[in-house]
Amino acid sequence: MQCYFDYQATNDLLKGRIVLVTGAGDGIGRAAALGYASKGATVILLGRTISKLESVYDEIEALGAPEPAIYPLNFEGASWPDYQQMADRLYDEFGRLDGVLHNAGILGKITPLQGYSPTLWQEVMQVNFNGPTMMLQALIPLLQESEDASVILTSSSVGRKGRAFWGAYACSKFAVEGLAQVMAEELENISNVRVNTLNPGATRTQMRAKAYPGENPASLRTPEEILPTYYYLMGPDSKGVTGQQFDAQPPKA
Ligand SMILES: NC(=O)c1ccc[n+]([C@@H]2O[C@H](COP(=O)([O-])OP(=O)(O)OC[C@H]3O[C@@H](n4cnc5c(N)ncnc54)[C@H](OP(=O)(O)O)[C@@H]3O)[C@@H](O)[C@H]2O)c1
């Protein structure tokens, strides 16, 4: 696996690009949305809590970056017509997409399989995998309108090697890895769309605090500190790189 932990993104790396970020209101998605905007992208902020998206919108405006757009969507309740409508609206507004960072996700519960609520299992699969899959299916034509499009799907270390008690979350991330491979191979020779997965690694966010309540958050990297690989994969330097797995942080010594 090649590493881009120290990748230096130029200030105009994403100039003129239109990039959708899911889960853009908080955590890593918020940092990535701000970072992409600061590198020149027009960022479409997708998420379920409008007030959070509005705060990120205001922060981007304050940076003097290209004006972003807000797209409220809840992966839990959205169905196929919602994603078709989304693709139509984005096509009317922008005509293409140069990037998608699918980052939204929920943890579910860390608990033994035999006690895992089937309702919660379905919710986690819907938010982390089924909904985003429908979204990407609908968005493929917009990505194909780009001369150089990058899709980044957020994975996890438990989506590459299973771990006891991580249940639906781990399985949803394995599914995301599978989707990325299928999509990458389908699009490789017929489009300029590349598809890769990125594991953020332990990062100081609300999700991490929920998973590890006893951990000192100060011992973790912040979302802003893990962005170099997010930049590398979204920008032109990764053109032609597809179907691969990336980590945003070096392994712990
Ligand atoms: N932090 C880590 O250590 C770590 C490690 C490995 C992988 N990851 C992955 O990295 C990604 C980001 O995680 P994070 O730590 O930044 O988590 P986070 O702080 O909990 O943020 C998750 C984001 O996803 C959004 N979201 C949740 N459910 C949604 C839904 N139904 N529809 C639309 N948006 C929804 C949230 O919106 P609201 O704010 O409105 O709830 C929030 O913006 C996730 O895919 C996670 O699995 C994180």
Side-chain angles (χ1 to χ4, degrees):
M1 184 187 295
Q2 287 183 292
C3 303
Y4 295 89
F5 313 134
D6 298 322
Y7 177 75
Q8 301 280 331
T10 56
N11 284 339
D12 62 353
L13 181 82
L14 302 175
K15 193 171 174 211
R17 294 188 184 229
I18 298 156
V19 173
L20 173 76
V21 177
T22 74
D26 212 335
I28 297 166
R30 174 184 165 277
L34 283 160
Y36 287 161
S38 76
K39 305 295 179 198
T42 297
V43 182
I44 302 159
L45 307 164
L46 183 148
R48 64 180 172 180
T49 308
I50 295 173
S51 57
K52 290 188 183 183
L53 300 175
E54 285 173 344
S55 296
V56 179
Y57 183 103
D58 290 345
E59 285 182 84
I60 289 175
E61 285 231 298
L63 289 174
E67 187 183 0
I70 289 180
Y71 203 96
L73 186 128
N74 188 332
F75 284 113
E76 194 184 338
S79 57
W80 179 238
D82 299 310
Y83 297 108
Q84 286 177 307
Q85 187 183 59
M86 177 183 177
D88 288 344
R89 284 196 184 162
L90 295 183
Y91 186 79
D92 289 347
E93 183 73 23
F94 300 105
R96 66 171 205 282
L97 270 181
D98 302 304
V100 175
L101 167 62
H102 171 53
N103 153 90
I106 55 172
L107 183 66
K109 210 168 171 189
I110 299 176
T111 189
L113 267 180
Q114 67 202 55
Y116 209 108
S117 149
T119 308
L120 181 60
W121 189 282
Q122 277 187 15
E123 184 186 327
V124 173
M125 292 305 291
Q126 192 66 22
V127 172
N128 292 5
F129 177 65
N130 295 329
T133 300
M134 285 188 274
M135 178 188 77
L136 289 167
Q137 285 176 284
L139 295 181
I140 284 172
L142 273 114
L143 289 160
Q144 287 180 311
E145 291 291 330
S146 171
E147 286 175 11
D148 178 28
S150 175
V151 177
I152 306 171
L153 299 183
T154 306
S155 187
S156 165
S157 49
V158 299
R160 294 179 181 167
K161 187 175 185 309
R163 193 181 303 161
F165 314 128
W166 281 72
Y169 179 83
C171 293
S172 71
K173 296 297 188 181
F174 266 91
V176 162
E177 293 281 356
L179 172 67
Q181 289 175 23
V182 170
M183 203 171 151
E185 203 168 293
E186 276 188 29
L187 296 177
E188 190 168 10
N189 296 318
I190 60 160
S191 73
N192 294 315
V193 184
R194 58 188 178 282
V195 185
N196 296 286
T197 63
L198 179 53
N199 168 23
T203 309
R204 197 187 307 167
T205 66
Q206 289 190 37
M207 182 187 286
R208 177 74 189 187
K210 187 179 168 199
Y212 295 91
E215 185 176 62
N216 177 5
S219 68
L220 302 170
R221 283 188 171 84
T222 63
E224 291 74 18
E225 287 170 331
I226 65 162
L227 290 183
T229 314
Y230 286 78
Y231 290 135
Y232 165 72
L233 284 174
M234 193 53 80
D237 289 334
S238 59
K239 191 167 185 174
V241 175
T242 196
Q244 295 191 30
Q245 298 177 324
F246 289 84
D247 285 334
Q249 298 188 44
K252 276 202 169 155

